[in-house]
């Protein structure tokens, strides 16, 4: 089965963190590419260990500007 996911990548002081928006699986790496590769492995393990997971429903993302 093939899954498509929305991924958020944030840069920290010493690494990049890649997080799957639909299921909160995350991983990190020294580069964006490494963080994404590590997240792919983590997601594969997540689905391998959870046979009863339903397919991911679409997530809609937008931006919002606020003034503080």
């Amino acid at each position: 089965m093939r899954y498509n996911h929305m991924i958020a990548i944030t840069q920290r002081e010493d690494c990049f963190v890649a997080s799957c928006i639909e299921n909160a699986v995350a991983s990190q790496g020294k580069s964006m590419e490494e963080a994404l590769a590590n997240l792919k492995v983590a997601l594969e393990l997540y689905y391998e260990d959870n046979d009863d997971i339903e397919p991911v429903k679409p997530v809609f993302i937008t931006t919002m500007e606020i003034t503080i």
Side-chain angles (χ1 to χ4, degrees):
M1 188 172 285
R2 183 172 280 211
Y3 295 94
N4 288 314
H5 291 288
M6 301 211 53
I7 307 300
I9 301 174
T10 55
Q11 185 174 9
R12 304 282 171 93
E13 287 184 25
D14 59 344
C15 67
F16 289 86
V17 177
S19 305
C20 179
I21 294 170
E22 291 91 351
N23 58 25
V25 174
S27 193
Q28 64 184 27
K30 293 181 181 180
S31 67
M32 276 197 246
E33 293 79 12
E34 184 179 0
L36 286 170
N38 291 341
L39 179 60
K40 182 177 181 182
V41 172
L43 284 168
E44 289 168 347
L45 291 170
Y46 174 79
Y47 286 109
E48 183 179 290
D49 292 342
N50 294 294
D51 294 332
D52 59 337
I53 295 175
E54 293 184 29
V56 176
K57 306 252 191 266
V59 173
F60 301 97
I61 297 180
T62 187
T63 60
M64 176 185 296
E65 183 176 320
I66 62 169
T67 303
I68 53 174

